[in-house]
Amino acid sequence: MTGLDPLLVVEHLSVEFPTDDGALHAVDDVSFAVMPHETLGIVGESGSGKTVTSMAVLGLLPTRARVSGAVRFRGQDLLGMREKDLEKIRGAKIAMVFQDALTALNPAYTVGDQIAEAVTVHNQIGRDALATRVRELLTLVGIPNPSERAEQFPHEYSGGMRQRAMIAMSIANDPDLLIADEPTTALDVTIQAQVLEVFGRIQERTESAIIIITHDLGVVAGVADRVMVMYSGQQVELASVDDLFYNTRHPYTAGLLASLPRLDRRADKADRLHRITGQPPSLVFRPSGCSFHPRCPEARIGGLCTEVVPELREVAQGHLSACHFAQDIFGVERVS
Ligand code: SF4
């Protein structure tokens, strides 16, 4: 594998859960790649399939899930891998940061002990080197006075510091890939910015690639290299972060952007036009055609939008959109 090979390749991933009403299509034909050292943001509302996608990558789906497609990490097929082998990859090569740091940390042990345990699960390391490593990790995630802080218990940490301690545990083994699921959701805006800075620092100072999963496009704006937007278990747009924000090519993304608070302008007419109303559809009884059509302000009723599922296609260099009318709506030149 060279530095130019993707670290993670997901191809035509679909995940279904059987229900009494029929199959629930949690993830539908999703494909993407993550390059070494890249930060990919996966954005969508609750139920869009973003977390199920990451669980499939980590092999953490319940056994009743029906999974198809391929997930390859450094060329190794993860979907076909035995649990014993997957366990060696999880935590050491691919690590996860969960949303709820308070419940994820054990209140009975010091933060330093818990970080030390994360290091020693996959490494034999002497006592002094271990203490140094714990301090290094706390420093990397921006926790001051690491020697004293390592001796404290989770309840002595603020919410933002607990989240940073969780991130320190996740990167304890220098993972090649860090997956952070809604890492800032429970935090106020100022602390959110501090935690996001930590991801920027990890990207600068380590070799890790990062996937940040969030419902909030604002979260990925400052940290992601590329962003994939999901809706109803499907990809609707994938582009570099700048292209996604400044040359949006899908009405759903335009709606998400229009609902972001902006200090630099009042809501204008374009924002009002693109604002998303209604609720995401059922994943069992998905609307025909484009699953966004019942909420899309641009939908053409009685035609392609309601009858034909739009393909994810390249509408500009490196910019994919699953909208039949991306060109008409956003004035883009079709590449293929
Ligand atoms: Fe809207 Fe039609 Fe594009 Fe779907 S295909 S996003 S309904 S315009």
Side-chain angles (χ1 to χ4, degrees):
M1 198 176 138
T2 74
L4 296 176
D5 291 327
L7 191 62
L8 179 77
V9 175
V10 173
E11 277 176 346
H12 305 294
L13 178 71
S14 292
V15 181
E16 287 179 9
F17 295 97
T19 75
D20 290 345
D21 296 322
L24 183 149
H25 305 278
V27 176
D28 187 6
D29 198 18
V30 165
S31 300
F32 64 93
V34 181
M35 301 302 289
H37 207 54
E38 180 183 40
T39 298
L40 175 73
I42 304 184
V43 179
E45 291 165 293
S46 171
S48 60
K50 54 194 194 308
T51 295
V52 177
T53 301
S54 68
M55 291 296 176
V57 168
L58 286 160
L60 291 175
L61 290 170
T63 48
R64 68 194 176 87
R66 291 195 290 256
V67 185
S68 60
V71 176
R72 280 191 294 278
F73 175 72
R74 289 193 174 280
Q76 282 182 292
D77 172 23
L78 296 188
L79 291 186
M81 198 173 269
R82 288 179 310 172
E83 181 57 29
K84 202 164 70 128
D85 297 323
L86 255 183
E87 272 170 16
K88 287 187 197 143
I89 290 181
R90 267 197 311 255
K93 302 281 178 209
I94 306 179
M96 184 125 191
V97 180
F98 293 99
Q99 180 180 339
D100 191 351
L102 186 55
T103 52
L105 287 167
N106 188 329
Y109 293 92
T110 66
V111 171
D113 281 347
Q114 295 183 62
I115 297 174
E117 195 191 344
V119 175
T120 51
V121 165
H122 295 279
N123 292 292
Q124 298 289 341
I125 180 168
R127 211 183 138 123
D128 289 349
L130 184 57
T132 305
R133 180 69 179 142
V134 169
R135 285 196 299 273
E136 255 174 34
L137 287 163
L138 286 170
T139 305
L140 180 59
V141 298
I143 292 184
N145 307 321
S147 301
E148 291 102 89
R149 286 294 189 179
E151 299 300 319
Q152 293 183 325
F153 290 87
H155 74 267
E156 296 175 87
Y157 276 43
S158 67
M161 282 178 56
R162 280 195 292 263
Q163 189 59 296
R164 280 185 264 172
M166 280 296 301
I167 297 170
M169 285 169 70
S170 308
I171 58 172
N173 296 293
D174 289 324
D176 295 330
L177 177 63
L178 181 64
I179 301 179
D181 190 358
E182 300 281 8
T184 60
T185 296
L187 307 173
D188 74 40
V189 177
T190 314
I191 307 298
Q192 209 177 69
Q194 290 169 4
V195 170
L196 289 173
E197 254 177 55
V198 172
F199 288 108
R201 208 173 308 147
I202 290 169
Q203 211 203 20
E204 256 171 43
R205 300 193 196 165
T206 75
E207 294 298 311
S208 301
I210 304 173
I211 296 179
I212 295 186
I213 296 166
T214 175
H215 66 283
D216 181 354
L217 258 184
V219 162
V220 295
V223 288
D225 298 302
R226 287 186 306 140
V227 181
M228 175 169 104
V229 181
M230 293 187 70
Y231 181 78
S232 179
Q234 296 164 320
Q235 288 165 285
V236 296
E237 190 162 6
L238 177 60
S240 72
V241 68
D242 286 350
D243 274 349
L244 194 99
F245 275 79
Y246 298 112
N247 297 303
T248 312
R249 304 291 196 237
H250 195 282
Y252 176 61
T253 314
L256 290 180
L257 283 169
S259 58
L260 280 182
R262 291 273 302 263
L263 296 176
D264 59 336
R265 59 142 203 248
R266 291 171 175 215
D268 59 18
K269 187 167 169 243
D271 281 357
R272 285 199 302 277
L273 279 177
H274 284 299
R275 204 168 284 271
I276 307 169
T277 55
Q279 298 297 319
S282 154
L283 295 174
V284 178
F285 306 106
R286 203 186 261 146
S288 61
C290 173
S291 58
F292 186 53
H293 86 250
R295 302 173 75 192
C296 180
E298 307 284 351
R300 279 72 163 160
I301 305 301
L304 285 177
C305 292
T306 50
E307 283 160 27
V308 180
V309 177
E311 260 178 54
L312 189 73
R313 60 189 170 85
E314 192 169 28
V315 293
Q317 187 71 38
H319 194 143
L320 309 181
S321 168
C323 172
H324 291 303
F325 297 103
Q327 189 174 16
D328 293 5
I329 299 165
F330 301 101
V332 295
E333 191 176 325
R334 186 172 172 161
V335 167
S336 54

Short mmCIF file of all heavy atoms in Angstrom, two decimals, residues 236 249-252 289-301 304-306 308-310 321-326 329-330, ligand 1:
data_model
loop_
_atom_site.label_atom_id
_atom_site.label_comp_id
_atom_site.label_asym_id
_atom_site.label_seq_id
_atom_site.Cartn_x
_atom_site.Cartn_y
_atom_site.Cartn_z
N VAL A 236 -26.20 11.88 -0.81
CA VAL A 236 -26.77 12.84 -1.77
C VAL A 236 -25.71 13.79 -2.32
O VAL A 236 -25.88 14.32 -3.42
CB VAL A 236 -27.96 13.62 -1.17
CG1 VAL A 236 -29.12 12.69 -0.86
CG2 VAL A 236 -27.58 14.42 0.05
N ARG A 249 -24.37 21.51 -4.61
CA ARG A 249 -24.97 20.91 -5.80
C ARG A 249 -26.17 20.02 -5.48
O ARG A 249 -26.54 19.18 -6.30
CB ARG A 249 -23.94 20.04 -6.54
CG ARG A 249 -22.66 20.74 -6.93
CD ARG A 249 -22.93 21.74 -8.02
NE ARG A 249 -21.71 22.17 -8.67
CZ ARG A 249 -21.34 23.44 -8.75
NH1 ARG A 249 -22.07 24.38 -8.21
NH2 ARG A 249 -20.23 23.76 -9.39
N HIS A 250 -26.72 20.17 -4.28
CA HIS A 250 -27.90 19.36 -3.97
C HIS A 250 -28.87 20.18 -3.10
O HIS A 250 -28.43 20.83 -2.13
CB HIS A 250 -27.51 18.07 -3.23
CG HIS A 250 -28.61 17.06 -3.21
ND1 HIS A 250 -29.69 17.16 -2.36
CD2 HIS A 250 -28.83 15.96 -3.98
CE1 HIS A 250 -30.52 16.15 -2.58
NE2 HIS A 250 -30.03 15.41 -3.56
N PRO A 251 -30.16 20.15 -3.41
CA PRO A 251 -31.12 20.96 -2.63
C PRO A 251 -31.14 20.61 -1.14
O PRO A 251 -31.40 21.49 -0.31
CB PRO A 251 -32.47 20.63 -3.29
CG PRO A 251 -32.13 20.27 -4.69
CD PRO A 251 -30.81 19.54 -4.60
N TYR A 252 -30.88 19.35 -0.80
CA TYR A 252 -30.90 19.01 0.63
C TYR A 252 -29.74 19.71 1.35
O TYR A 252 -29.92 20.30 2.42
CB TYR A 252 -30.81 17.49 0.82
CG TYR A 252 -30.72 17.09 2.28
CD1 TYR A 252 -31.75 17.40 3.16
CD2 TYR A 252 -29.61 16.43 2.77
CE1 TYR A 252 -31.67 17.05 4.51
CE2 TYR A 252 -29.52 16.07 4.12
CZ TYR A 252 -30.55 16.39 4.97
OH TYR A 252 -30.47 16.05 6.30
N GLY A 289 -38.86 7.32 -6.46
CA GLY A 289 -37.98 8.30 -7.10
C GLY A 289 -36.94 8.82 -6.13
O GLY A 289 -36.34 8.05 -5.37
N CYS A 290 -36.74 10.13 -6.11
CA CYS A 290 -35.79 10.74 -5.18
C CYS A 290 -36.44 10.77 -3.81
O CYS A 290 -37.51 11.36 -3.64
CB CYS A 290 -35.46 12.16 -5.66
SG CYS A 290 -34.47 13.08 -4.47
N SER A 291 -35.78 10.18 -2.82
CA SER A 291 -36.44 10.08 -1.51
C SER A 291 -36.58 11.44 -0.84
O SER A 291 -37.32 11.59 0.12
CB SER A 291 -35.71 9.09 -0.60
OG SER A 291 -34.38 9.50 -0.45
N PHE A 292 -35.91 12.46 -1.36
CA PHE A 292 -36.04 13.81 -0.80
C PHE A 292 -37.21 14.57 -1.43
O PHE A 292 -37.55 15.67 -0.98
CB PHE A 292 -34.71 14.56 -1.02
CG PHE A 292 -34.64 15.92 -0.38
CD1 PHE A 292 -34.92 16.09 0.97
CD2 PHE A 292 -34.28 17.03 -1.12
CE1 PHE A 292 -34.86 17.35 1.56
CE2 PHE A 292 -34.21 18.29 -0.54
CZ PHE A 292 -34.51 18.45 0.81
N HIS A 293 -37.87 13.98 -2.45
CA HIS A 293 -38.82 14.79 -3.22
C HIS A 293 -39.98 15.38 -2.40
O HIS A 293 -40.39 16.51 -2.66
CB HIS A 293 -39.32 14.06 -4.50
CG HIS A 293 -40.48 13.14 -4.31
ND1 HIS A 293 -40.37 11.77 -4.40
CD2 HIS A 293 -41.80 13.39 -4.08
CE1 HIS A 293 -41.55 11.22 -4.20
NE2 HIS A 293 -42.44 12.18 -4.00
N PRO A 294 -40.50 14.66 -1.36
CA PRO A 294 -41.61 15.29 -0.62
C PRO A 294 -41.21 16.58 0.11
O PRO A 294 -42.05 17.39 0.46
CB PRO A 294 -42.03 14.20 0.39
CG PRO A 294 -41.54 12.92 -0.19
CD PRO A 294 -40.25 13.29 -0.87
N ARG A 295 -39.91 16.77 0.35
CA ARG A 295 -39.46 17.95 1.10
C ARG A 295 -38.68 18.92 0.22
O ARG A 295 -38.24 19.97 0.70
CB ARG A 295 -38.56 17.50 2.25
CG ARG A 295 -39.21 16.55 3.20
CD ARG A 295 -38.21 16.02 4.23
NE ARG A 295 -37.89 17.00 5.25
CZ ARG A 295 -36.89 16.86 6.11
NH1 ARG A 295 -36.10 15.80 6.05
NH2 ARG A 295 -36.66 17.77 7.02
N CYS A 296 -38.47 18.55 -1.04
CA CYS A 296 -37.55 19.33 -1.87
C CYS A 296 -38.28 20.53 -2.49
O CYS A 296 -39.26 20.35 -3.22
CB CYS A 296 -36.96 18.44 -2.97
SG CYS A 296 -35.84 19.35 -4.05
N PRO A 297 -37.79 21.75 -2.24
CA PRO A 297 -38.46 22.92 -2.83
C PRO A 297 -38.29 22.99 -4.34
O PRO A 297 -38.97 23.77 -5.01
CB PRO A 297 -37.76 24.10 -2.14
CG PRO A 297 -36.48 23.57 -1.62
CD PRO A 297 -36.64 22.10 -1.39
N GLU A 298 -37.38 22.18 -4.89
CA GLU A 298 -37.11 22.20 -6.33
C GLU A 298 -37.74 21.03 -7.07
O GLU A 298 -37.56 20.90 -8.29
CB GLU A 298 -35.59 22.15 -6.58
CG GLU A 298 -34.77 23.19 -5.84
CD GLU A 298 -34.89 24.56 -6.48
OE1 GLU A 298 -35.48 24.63 -7.59
OE2 GLU A 298 -34.41 25.52 -5.88
N ALA A 299 -38.45 20.15 -6.35
CA ALA A 299 -38.94 18.90 -6.97
C ALA A 299 -39.89 19.19 -8.13
O ALA A 299 -40.72 20.09 -8.06
CB ALA A 299 -39.64 18.05 -5.91
N ARG A 300 -39.72 18.42 -9.20
CA ARG A 300 -40.65 18.47 -10.33
C ARG A 300 -41.59 17.28 -10.14
O ARG A 300 -41.18 16.13 -10.30
CB ARG A 300 -39.92 18.30 -11.66
CG ARG A 300 -39.27 19.56 -12.22
CD ARG A 300 -38.04 19.98 -11.46
NE ARG A 300 -37.24 20.92 -12.25
CZ ARG A 300 -36.34 21.74 -11.76
NH1 ARG A 300 -36.12 21.79 -10.46
NH2 ARG A 300 -35.64 22.53 -12.56
N ILE A 301 -42.83 17.58 -9.78
CA ILE A 301 -43.79 16.51 -9.50
C ILE A 301 -44.30 15.90 -10.81
O ILE A 301 -44.51 16.61 -11.79
CB ILE A 301 -44.97 17.06 -8.66
CG1 ILE A 301 -44.43 17.73 -7.39
CG2 ILE A 301 -45.97 15.97 -8.29
CD1 ILE A 301 -43.59 16.84 -6.48
N LEU A 304 -39.23 12.90 -13.30
CA LEU A 304 -38.05 12.19 -12.79
C LEU A 304 -37.99 12.17 -11.26
O LEU A 304 -37.70 11.15 -10.66
CB LEU A 304 -36.78 12.86 -13.33
CG LEU A 304 -36.41 12.61 -14.79
CD1 LEU A 304 -35.17 13.42 -15.15
CD2 LEU A 304 -36.18 11.13 -15.03
N CYS A 305 -38.27 13.31 -10.64
CA CYS A 305 -38.10 13.40 -9.18
C CYS A 305 -38.95 12.38 -8.44
O CYS A 305 -38.51 11.82 -7.43
CB CYS A 305 -38.46 14.80 -8.68
SG CYS A 305 -37.30 16.06 -9.24
N THR A 306 -40.15 12.16 -8.91
CA THR A 306 -41.06 11.26 -8.18
C THR A 306 -40.99 9.82 -8.69
O THR A 306 -41.53 8.93 -8.06
CB THR A 306 -42.52 11.76 -8.30
OG1 THR A 306 -42.80 12.00 -9.67
CG2 THR A 306 -42.74 13.01 -7.49
N VAL A 308 -37.93 8.32 -10.63
CA VAL A 308 -36.62 7.68 -10.89
C VAL A 308 -35.64 8.05 -9.76
O VAL A 308 -35.48 9.23 -9.44
CB VAL A 308 -36.05 8.15 -12.26
CG1 VAL A 308 -34.70 7.50 -12.52
CG2 VAL A 308 -37.03 7.87 -13.37
N VAL A 309 -35.02 7.01 -9.19
CA VAL A 309 -34.02 7.26 -8.14
C VAL A 309 -32.80 7.93 -8.79
O VAL A 309 -32.22 7.38 -9.73
CB VAL A 309 -33.58 5.93 -7.48
CG1 VAL A 309 -32.49 6.18 -6.43
CG2 VAL A 309 -34.77 5.21 -6.86
N PRO A 310 -32.42 9.12 -8.32
CA PRO A 310 -31.26 9.78 -8.95
C PRO A 310 -29.95 9.08 -8.60
O PRO A 310 -29.75 8.66 -7.47
CB PRO A 310 -31.29 11.20 -8.36
CG PRO A 310 -32.14 11.13 -7.15
CD PRO A 310 -33.02 9.92 -7.24
N SER A 321 -23.16 14.50 -6.89
CA SER A 321 -24.49 14.88 -6.42
C SER A 321 -25.51 13.87 -6.93
O SER A 321 -25.40 13.38 -8.05
CB SER A 321 -24.85 16.28 -6.96
OG SER A 321 -26.23 16.54 -6.75
N ALA A 322 -26.49 13.57 -6.09
CA ALA A 322 -27.57 12.67 -6.50
C ALA A 322 -28.85 13.50 -6.68
O ALA A 322 -29.80 13.38 -5.92
CB ALA A 322 -27.78 11.57 -5.46
N CYS A 323 -28.81 14.40 -7.65
CA CYS A 323 -30.01 15.20 -7.96
C CYS A 323 -30.15 15.23 -9.48
O CYS A 323 -29.20 15.60 -10.17
CB CYS A 323 -29.86 16.62 -7.42
SG CYS A 323 -31.17 17.73 -7.97
N HIS A 324 -31.35 14.87 -9.98
CA HIS A 324 -31.57 14.88 -11.44
C HIS A 324 -31.34 16.28 -12.03
O HIS A 324 -30.99 16.41 -13.19
CB HIS A 324 -33.02 14.49 -11.75
CG HIS A 324 -33.34 13.06 -11.45
ND1 HIS A 324 -32.64 12.01 -12.00
CD2 HIS A 324 -34.30 12.50 -10.65
CE1 HIS A 324 -33.15 10.87 -11.55
NE2 HIS A 324 -34.15 11.14 -10.73
N PHE A 325 -31.60 17.31 -11.21
CA PHE A 325 -31.60 18.66 -11.76
C PHE A 325 -30.49 19.54 -11.18
O PHE A 325 -30.63 20.77 -11.15
CB PHE A 325 -32.98 19.30 -11.56
CG PHE A 325 -34.06 18.55 -12.29
CD1 PHE A 325 -34.92 17.70 -11.61
CD2 PHE A 325 -34.17 18.64 -13.67
CE1 PHE A 325 -35.89 16.97 -12.29
CE2 PHE A 325 -35.14 17.92 -14.36
CZ PHE A 325 -36.00 17.08 -13.67
N ALA A 326 -29.41 18.90 -10.74
CA ALA A 326 -28.30 19.67 -10.17
C ALA A 326 -27.85 20.77 -11.14
O ALA A 326 -27.61 21.91 -10.74
CB ALA A 326 -27.13 18.74 -9.83
N ILE A 329 -30.59 23.59 -11.43
CA ILE A 329 -30.79 24.37 -10.20
C ILE A 329 -29.55 25.18 -9.85
O ILE A 329 -29.64 26.35 -9.51
CB ILE A 329 -31.14 23.43 -9.02
CG1 ILE A 329 -32.44 22.68 -9.30
CG2 ILE A 329 -31.26 24.21 -7.71
CD1 ILE A 329 -32.68 21.49 -8.38
N PHE A 330 -28.39 24.54 -10.00
CA PHE A 330 -27.17 25.20 -9.51
C PHE A 330 -26.27 25.67 -10.64
O PHE A 330 -25.18 26.19 -10.41
CB PHE A 330 -26.40 24.25 -8.58
CG PHE A 330 -27.22 23.82 -7.38
CD1 PHE A 330 -27.83 22.58 -7.34
CD2 PHE A 330 -27.39 24.68 -6.32
CE1 PHE A 330 -28.58 22.20 -6.24
CE2 PHE A 330 -28.15 24.32 -5.22
CZ PHE A 330 -28.75 23.07 -5.18
FE1 SF4 B 1 -35.13 17.69 -5.52
FE2 SF4 B 1 -35.69 16.31 -7.73
FE3 SF4 B 1 -33.17 16.92 -7.14
FE4 SF4 B 1 -34.49 15.12 -5.67
S1 SF4 B 1 -33.93 14.92 -7.84
S2 SF4 B 1 -33.20 16.73 -4.92
S3 SF4 B 1 -36.54 15.99 -5.69
S4 SF4 B 1 -34.81 18.36 -7.64
#
